Amino acid sequence: MQLHSLSGISITCLLRYLLRATMEIGEKRRSSSGYGKSPWIFKGSALYQIHLVKAETARAFIPKDFRLVEAFGYTLGGFFLASYEDSPAGVFDELVVIAGIVWNPPTSCAWAARVLVNSHEACDHGRKDVGLPSHVARFSKRITAVPKQQSGKSSGFSDILRIGTKFSDPYNVTDVKVTEVDGSALADICNIRVQSTASTSKLGNWMGPSIKMSLPSFSGNTNYNPNLLKYSCHIECRVRPVKPAIVSMPMEDEAEKLKGHHNQTQDSSESELDLSVSVMLSKPIIALQFKCLEMQVEAPIVLSPSKTS
């Protein structure tokens, strides 16, 4: 009788344990979509390019709670193009379009106008957990090796003897075509051409100094997360200045398709996507290459709860 009671208690405890474990796993999946608890760690490489963005363009994205940091009608925006080899969502690419810098005492932070990722899991996490304007996209990449080329004007007979002839270092050109995916609809956003020095040169072997920095950012004010949020990205990487990437619009026929797609989705004359492309096409002033990147993202904190939440 006593043995039977002990076995009954053991079975009851086992059932309770299994039920509790199942509930915890289900809650974890619902709250984080597989990302787990913060901090979330991303490893890979990136290009961080800073542009001069017109204040009127950037202001279209900034909530009224914040003040845009501007001078002479411009703010500092640009984009962050990353390729992650290891992350909570696995391998994926990301393009963060940065509208500008906003001020909310006692600090100023960047504001993302649009985030494009080729991972549904990363998109859902960005929307719900971080309050980012994330969208699913395709990243089509093509790498072209450019050999050594003669530079300067031709000097006749000396060119035949190779006297005083200068040759440029070989380099690689990476073309990235970003296409936003909205259900069955596709829209080519932009083309990004990145030039990198081949590893055969001294500059190609030099990855730059190792640095640690923190990039605070504001987010939220979206349909998926209406609260105003603040989060931090702690970055450790090797960084060096590089030639700014060239951003261009898609071909004319693709641009017409893109325009038609915008007219179907929004009635406004200038959609958020159009303005995001304007940020990408603005004048670059500096570009930084991040190698051996390890980025640690903290969970955001609520600065201002939404009035409707």
Side-chain angles (χ1 to χ4, degrees):
M1 188 68 177
Q2 185 178 3
L3 181 61
H4 177 72
S5 299
L6 289 174
S7 62
I9 294 173
S10 299
I11 293 175
T12 302
C13 293
L14 179 61
L15 290 174
R16 287 179 179 176
Y17 171 78
L18 291 175
L19 180 61
R20 186 184 301 118
T22 303
M23 292 176 64
E24 288 178 354
I25 293 174
E27 181 64 27
K28 181 178 179 180
R29 287 178 178 173
R30 285 193 298 271
S31 62
S32 60
S33 303
Y35 267 68
K37 294 182 179 180
S38 64
W40 304 295
I41 298 176
F42 303 80
K43 297 180 180 179
S45 59
L47 175 71
Y48 185 29
Q49 188 157 302
I50 301 174
H51 289 197
L52 282 176
V53 180
K54 290 184 178 179
E56 59 180 348
T57 300
R59 201 174 286 113
F61 299 100
I62 308 303
K64 296 180 180 179
D65 303 64
F66 299 141
R67 182 169 63 87
L68 183 68
V69 178
E70 59 178 297
F72 305 105
Y74 289 89
T75 184
L76 293 179
F79 66 88
F80 183 82
L81 178 64
S83 179
Y84 301 117
E85 302 169 354
D86 184 22
S87 78
V91 178
F92 73 96
D93 298 304
E94 179 181 48
L95 172 63
V96 181
V97 183
I98 304 171
I101 305 298
V102 296
W103 171 254
N104 185 44
T107 185
S108 59
C109 299
W111 185 272
R114 204 172 194 86
V115 178
L116 299 164
V117 293
N118 55 358
S119 165
H120 287 276
E121 187 177 4
C123 180
D124 291 339
H125 171 73
R127 286 175 172 178
K128 299 175 183 178
D129 296 336
V130 191
L132 293 172
S134 299
H135 300 267
V136 176
R138 292 179 181 175
F139 290 73
S140 304
K141 300 180 182 180
R142 184 183 63 189
I143 301 177
T144 305
V146 180
K148 285 186 176 182
Q149 295 180 346
Q150 182 176 340
S151 60
K153 297 181 179 180
S154 174
S155 55
F157 184 72
S158 62
D159 281 347
I160 300 176
L161 299 178
R162 302 291 182 180
I163 299 174
T165 304
K166 295 182 179 180
F167 290 86
S168 61
D169 291 329
Y171 59 91
N172 296 327
V173 173
T174 302
D175 290 296
V176 183
K177 181 180 179 181
V178 184
T179 304
E180 186 169 314
V181 181
D182 184 7
S184 59
L186 302 177
D188 290 336
I189 306 303
C190 65
N191 299 317
I192 305 173
R193 170 164 287 194
V194 182
Q195 178 178 321
S196 58
T197 306
S199 59
T200 54
S201 66
K202 293 181 179 180
L203 182 61
N205 290 325
W206 182 67
M207 293 192 297
S210 178
I211 66 167
K212 293 182 180 180
M213 61 180 177
S214 180
L215 297 176
S217 298
F218 291 129
S219 62
N221 197 40
T222 66
N223 294 331
Y224 293 93
N225 199 326
N227 298 321
L228 287 177
L229 310 172
K230 180 182 178 182
Y231 66 98
S232 294
C233 298
H234 304 287
I235 293 178
E236 182 174 354
C237 64
R238 304 291 294 270
V239 62
R240 68 170 183 174
V242 293
K243 185 177 181 179
I246 300 174
V247 182
S248 60
M249 285 287 291
M251 302 298 290
E252 290 185 5
D253 55 339
E254 295 295 337
E256 289 298 322
K257 293 180 182 179
L258 182 63
K259 183 177 180 181
H261 174 74
H262 292 171
N263 292 336
Q264 292 177 1
T265 56
Q266 291 190 353
D267 296 331
S268 61
S269 59
E270 213 170 10
S271 68
E272 290 184 356
L273 198 147
D274 292 323
L275 292 171
S276 298
V277 173
S278 297
V279 173
M280 294 290 297
L281 295 174
S282 57
K283 183 178 179 59
I285 55 176
I286 189 173
L288 300 174
Q289 183 185 58
F290 293 169
K291 288 287 189 179
C292 305
L293 170 68
E294 181 170 331
M295 182 171 64
Q296 180 176 297
V297 181
E298 302 288 346
I301 60 173
V302 177
L303 291 177
S304 175
S306 170
K307 296 179 182 178
T308 59
S309 62

